[in-house]
Every structure is written in C-alpha cells, then in structure tokens.
Amino acid sequence: MNISVIVEYTGVFLILIGGIMAVISAIGLLRLPDVYTRSHAATKSSTLAVLLSLTGTFLYFWATENFISVRLVLGIIFVFLTAPVSGHLITRAAYRSHVKLSESSTEDALKDVLFNTETDK
Amino acid sequence: MINIILTIALSLFLLAIILALYRIIRGPSMPDRVVALDMIGVNLISGVAVFSVVLSTHAFLEVILIVGILAFISTIALSRFVERKDIVEHKRNS
C-alpha cells in the first residue's frame, strides 16, 4: 500500500465526513427555534462541511492524477471568506426588520440601543 | 469501495438539500428562507465537487467558483431587500 493510495483514501474519507456534517447542519436548521440560532447552524457547520469535501476532492485529484487544482484552492478560500459574511448580513437584516427572538431566549441587549432612540419609528 | 463511499456522501448531500427545502417551504419569516437558500448553495458546491470525483474529470471545477459567487451575491441582495424593501435605490423626483 503505497503513499498515493493512502492519500486517496484520506480524501474520500474527508468527503464522507463532510457529508455527515452537512446532514447534521441541516438537522440543526430544522430543529432550532428562531432565525438567529438557525443562522448559527446553517453558516458555521455548513462551511465546515464544504471545506472538508473540497479538501477531500483536492487530495483525491492530487493523489490519483498529480493534478494540483488552483481553481479548487480558490473555491476553498472564497467559501471560507464569504460564508461568515453572508451569515452576518442576513442576521443583521433580520434583526433590523423586527424578526422576533424565540420564547426561550432571556436577554435582548441590543433592543434598547437600537430601537428606543429612534424618533421617526 | 471508493464508489460506495462517494455514493453515500452524494446521497447525504441530497438529504441535506431536501431538509433545507423543507425549511424554505415552511419558514415562518423571510430571513429563514434566505438562510436555507444559502445553505442549499453551499451543499450544491459540495455536490458538484463530489460528482467531479465520481466522474474523475476536471471539467466541473469552474462550476464551484460560479455557484459560490452567485450564492454570495444573491444572499447579499436578498438581505438588502429584507432590510430596506428595495434593492436598487432610485432617486425620487419630489
């Protein structure tokens, strides 16, 4: 069993772990109570899933065909940079458009700062 | 062995997309649907990568970049629509 077969199986195993993480993230998207916790489940663990599967694809092509794909590295960097930004933007838009928190949340520290000082509301 | 594991991973990504589709249909508010749509885009990127491994070709690797850029731009535009009720600001003649 030489080194390229080991790297190939490592890539395939990373792809499998990425699939399992995607299903866990989707279950979190279904079960959590409001949009802010759902955004936590959808953004962070789904980014981990896509990074694992893209790294597995990169390792597989490197092991089997000696092909280092620059486009795949670019995709990894792009997803890693933009997924937290989009999660932050949609959560900020949800809070500023008065989407309710869940019933079990205990503290809303931003409400007095953001909404009571506006005069034209 | 490798084909079996890759098929299992592809069906797991498909299951994640179907669960997010349920959240799109039954979401109580508009940002829930946007979050689920962003997650469908991310899972689609992973699915294209695994599909490119299954077919052992390099031809689909540009699709990853294109789908990633389109998902990011659409999420930004939809969050701006949720926050301000319009996307392109136009000058009012008053």
Side-chain angles (χ1 to χ4, degrees):
Chain A
M1 195 171 188
N2 52 2
I3 187 69
S4 69
V5 178
I6 294 175
V7 176
E8 180 181 341
Y9 273 94
T10 307
V12 173
F13 191 64
L14 283 181
I15 288 175
L16 182 64
I17 296 176
I20 295 171
M21 281 305 297
V23 172
I24 290 173
S25 154
I27 291 173
L29 189 70
L30 279 189
R31 301 269 307 169
L32 285 172
D34 60 346
V35 63
Y36 308 103
T37 50
R38 273 176 210 148
S39 156
H40 163 77
T43 306
K44 295 186 180 65
S45 49
S46 186
T47 306
L48 177 62
V50 69
L51 287 185
L52 281 174
S53 67
L54 286 185
T55 311
T57 308
F58 179 74
L59 285 179
Y60 184 85
F61 279 136
W62 191 17
T64 56
E65 303 178 14
N66 278 325
F67 176 70
I68 295 180
S69 172
V70 183
R71 290 169 295 215
L72 211 48
V73 177
L74 207 60
I76 290 173
I77 294 173
F78 187 78
V79 170
F80 185 64
L81 283 183
T82 58
V85 175
S86 63
H88 166 71
L89 274 176
I90 189 59
T91 313
R92 182 174 179 271
Y95 192 81
R96 289 179 76 94
S97 64
H98 302 279
V99 175
K100 290 282 190 296
L101 272 73
S102 74
E103 296 294 329
S104 61
S105 64
T106 59
E107 186 177 3
D108 191 1
L110 202 57
K111 188 176 180 180
D112 295 332
V113 183
L114 201 58
F115 291 139
N116 283 339
T117 59
E118 292 183 2
T119 59
D120 54 352
K121 183 57 73 178
Chain B
M1 184 68 191
I2 285 179
N3 273 324
I4 295 172
I5 296 176
L6 289 178
T7 311
I8 290 172
L10 265 181
S11 46
L12 285 178
F13 285 124
L14 183 68
L15 179 64
I17 286 179
I18 289 172
L19 292 180
L21 204 61
Y22 175 79
R23 177 54 69 194
I24 282 185
I25 295 170
R26 287 290 302 274
S29 65
M30 183 78 184
D32 284 318
R33 297 188 172 97
V34 183
V35 165
L37 201 63
D38 189 40
M39 190 179 160
I40 281 183
V42 164
N43 279 324
L44 208 60
I45 292 172
S46 312
V48 168
V50 180
F51 204 69
S52 156
V53 172
V54 170
L55 295 182
S56 73
T57 176
H58 304 155
F60 295 143
L61 296 182
E62 286 92 354
V63 182
I64 295 171
L65 279 174
I66 301 295
V67 172
I69 291 169
L70 280 181
F72 180 56
I73 298 295
S74 65
T75 306
I76 285 179
L78 281 173
S79 70
R80 191 178 166 90
F81 174 71
V82 166
E83 189 170 351
R84 300 186 184 175
K85 304 299 179 193
D86 60 346
I87 296 175
V88 180
E89 294 179 352
H90 51 85
K91 190 180 291 180
R92 295 197 180 104
N93 46 2
S94 64

